[in-house]
């Protein structure tokens, strides 16, 4: 009897969700299914799976502990546990220590607990997930894939924050995020356009619920819009992006706002949601913008800020060869891409309207000096590839 192919489970834990995927590692990595437990802690939480099995059902999950137990119970009920070879976790923050993916150990978990203050909105839940899997399946290898790793070796001047030096010694610096997406996109750019393009002057725009940009040269990150936390940079679905730090003191004086309340505001009540006062979803806002000035202004500010970062990163790179759009907005919103690129002809960015409207892979005009591409990003596949590499498992190719 032919042995079953190795199976890799990928876990992407968020502040109110657990997204997962199952890959089979044969000649190449094949995605068997995708799933998610969404809206954890709310009365309308759901559990959904698409692929070899399909369902969507309401779920009572008051916290991540209950949610991960539901997931593990489901795996065991379907005997999927027996076939699992390893689990790969997206870990948002690697701090100053972790620059490479690694197998999770007791010592690493202790270090991740110490890193939790770096990202209190994500790290505790991510650690909880690794510990829960270890308790239930102690012999199952787990690998941490750090979202900050791609930016770990930023040039020193790009890492520095202009605050007193003593904080640098505590690990306060620009870290950057979306690293798994960016690593995947660099690999895809090399596959689609050749190694010369991937080694050139590239700006990657990961625009989704979370949004950031990275300036890449020689396949390495030289700057990125997110900073010490994922709240920095461009406006996002509910995150503010960059703000005047003096706003903290102003709101503390005028509204007696605490640091915790300020953090809640800039992470969960701002961005597209805060500006529009109706929705954090770009699709909704585009539909409403002709009737609702708040929706129109939210879209306009998002496009304007992304455009500014493209200009800044072109300056940091000394020019631009390729611009890549990825993420839910970047891949699916031609109107947003067009507005971002409008007026960037001086950089050599010119779009071909029909290609852009059709979400084609290359959307730049033939006369444009800069190749503008739309590339589907796949963080789960990147995690699965990474697990195979770390543990020496079978296939490392894409699906």
């Amino acid at each position: 009897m032919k042995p079953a192919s190795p199976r890799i489970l990928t876990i992407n834990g968020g502040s109110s969700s657990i997204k997962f995927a199952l890959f089979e590692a044969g000649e190449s990595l094949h995605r068997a299914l995708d799933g998610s437990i969404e809206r954890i802690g709310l009365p309308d939480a759901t559990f959904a799976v698409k692929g070899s099995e399909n369902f969507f059902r309401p779920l009572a999950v008051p916290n991540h502990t209950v949610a991960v137990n539901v997931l593990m119970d489901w795996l065991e009920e379907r005997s999927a546990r027996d076939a699992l070879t390893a689990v790969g976790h997206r870990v948002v923050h690697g701090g100053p220590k972790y620059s490479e993916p690694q197998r999770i150990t007791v010592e690493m978990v202790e270090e991740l607990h110490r890193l939790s203050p770096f990202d209190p909105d994500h790290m505790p839940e991510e650690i909880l997930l690794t510990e829960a899997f270890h308790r239930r399946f102690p012999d199952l290898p787990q690998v941490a894939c750090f979202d900050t790793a791609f930016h770990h070796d930023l040039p020193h001047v790009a890492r520095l924050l202009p605050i007193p030096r003593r904080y640098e010694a505590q690990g306060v610096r620009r870290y950057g995020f979306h690293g798994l997406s960016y690593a995947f996109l660099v690999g895809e750019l090399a596959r689609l356009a050749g190694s010369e393009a991937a080694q050139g002057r590239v700006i990657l725009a990961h625009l989704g619920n979370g949004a950031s940009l990275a300036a890449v040269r020689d396949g390495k990150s030289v700057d990125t819009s997110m900073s010490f936390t994922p709240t920095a940079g461009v406006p996002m679905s509910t995150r503010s992006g960059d703000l005047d730090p003096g706003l903290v003191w102003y709101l503390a004086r005028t509204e007696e706002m605490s640091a915790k309340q300020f953090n809640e505001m800039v992470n969960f009540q701002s961005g597209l949601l805060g500006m529009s006062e109706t929705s954090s979803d770009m699709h909704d806002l585009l539909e409403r913008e002709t009737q609702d000035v708040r929706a129109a202004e939210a879209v306009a500010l998002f496009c304007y800020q992304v455009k500014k970062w493209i200009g800044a990163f072109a300056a940091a790179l000394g020019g631009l060869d390729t611009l890549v759009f990825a993420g839910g907005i970047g891949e699916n919103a031609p109107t947003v891409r067009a507005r971002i690129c409008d007026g960037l002809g001086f950089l050599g960015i010119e779009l071909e309207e029909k290609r852009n409207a059709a979400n084609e892979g290359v959307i730049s005009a033939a006369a444009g000096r800069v190749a503008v591409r739309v590339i589907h990003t796949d963080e789960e596949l990147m995690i699965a590839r990474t697990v195979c590499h770390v543990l020496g498992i079978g296939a490392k190719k894409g699906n």
Side-chain angles (χ1 to χ4, degrees), residues 99-355:
S99 60
E100 298 287 342
Q102 295 182 33
R103 185 164 175 168
I104 297 174
T105 63
V106 173
E107 293 75 20
M108 176 189 284
V109 172
E110 291 175 354
E111 181 65 22
L112 293 180
H113 276 292
R114 286 191 285 272
L115 286 175
S116 285
F118 281 43
D119 189 354
D121 295 320
H122 297 95
M123 291 291 284
E125 286 78 15
E126 291 170 358
I127 295 167
L128 180 152
L129 295 175
T130 68
E131 292 176 325
F133 267 88
H134 179 71
R135 282 193 299 271
R136 182 80 69 99
F137 312 126
D139 298 325
L140 184 65
Q142 298 188 76
V143 174
C145 303
F146 297 100
D147 217 21
T148 51
F150 184 76
H151 307 292
H152 187 268
D153 295 322
L154 283 173
H156 187 64
V157 69
R159 293 201 307 264
L160 288 173
L161 298 182
I163 57 178
R165 283 279 184 175
R166 64 181 180 274
Y167 296 108
E168 184 184 6
Q170 299 173 22
V172 179
R173 48 160 283 192
R174 182 180 300 275
Y175 284 97
F177 301 88
H178 288 139
L180 292 167
S181 175
Y182 290 137
F184 179 85
L185 292 172
V186 169
E188 282 294 279
L189 182 59
R191 183 180 70 84
L192 294 168
S195 59
E196 185 176 347
Q199 296 295 310
R201 300 167 298 181
V202 180
I203 294 176
L204 305 172
H206 177 112
L207 308 179
N209 284 331
S212 71
L213 293 89
V216 176
R217 186 171 51 233
D218 299 324
K220 298 181 182 301
S221 179
V222 298
D223 207 345
T224 188
S225 58
M226 287 178 170
S227 186
F228 179 69
T229 75
T231 314
V234 300
M236 303 170 227
S237 60
T238 64
R239 295 178 189 147
S240 65
D242 286 350
L243 291 174
D244 179 350
L247 188 59
V248 178
W249 177 225
Y250 170 78
L251 293 174
R253 295 193 328 269
T254 60
E255 297 189 8
E256 298 184 350
M257 183 179 286
S258 68
K260 183 177 181 180
Q261 290 170 326
F262 184 84
N263 182 69
E264 179 78 13
M265 181 188 77
V266 297
N267 277 289
F268 304 108
Q269 301 166 10
S270 298
L272 298 177
L273 177 63
M275 289 184 288
S276 70
E277 298 184 309
T278 55
S279 177
S280 62
D281 187 281
M282 179 62 78
H283 181 264
D284 293 344
L285 300 179
L286 288 170
E287 286 190 336
R288 297 171 184 167
E289 65 176 346
T290 55
Q291 294 85 32
D292 187 340
V293 67
R294 298 167 302 169
E297 288 178 347
V299 175
L301 183 56
F302 177 85
C303 295
Y304 175 66
Q305 290 294 337
V306 174
K307 179 184 297 188
K308 281 173 60 177
W309 279 97
I310 291 172
F313 282 170
L317 291 167
L320 183 60
D321 303 310
T322 304
L323 170 62
V324 175
F325 287 100
I329 298 172
E331 295 169 26
N332 301 300
T335 300
V336 172
R337 292 194 301 260
R339 293 179 188 177
I340 289 169
C341 293
D342 184 40
L344 294 180
F346 72 99
L347 290 177
I349 296 174
E350 297 180 35
L351 297 191
E352 205 290 309
E353 185 176 347
K354 290 183 179 179
R355 289 179 181 172

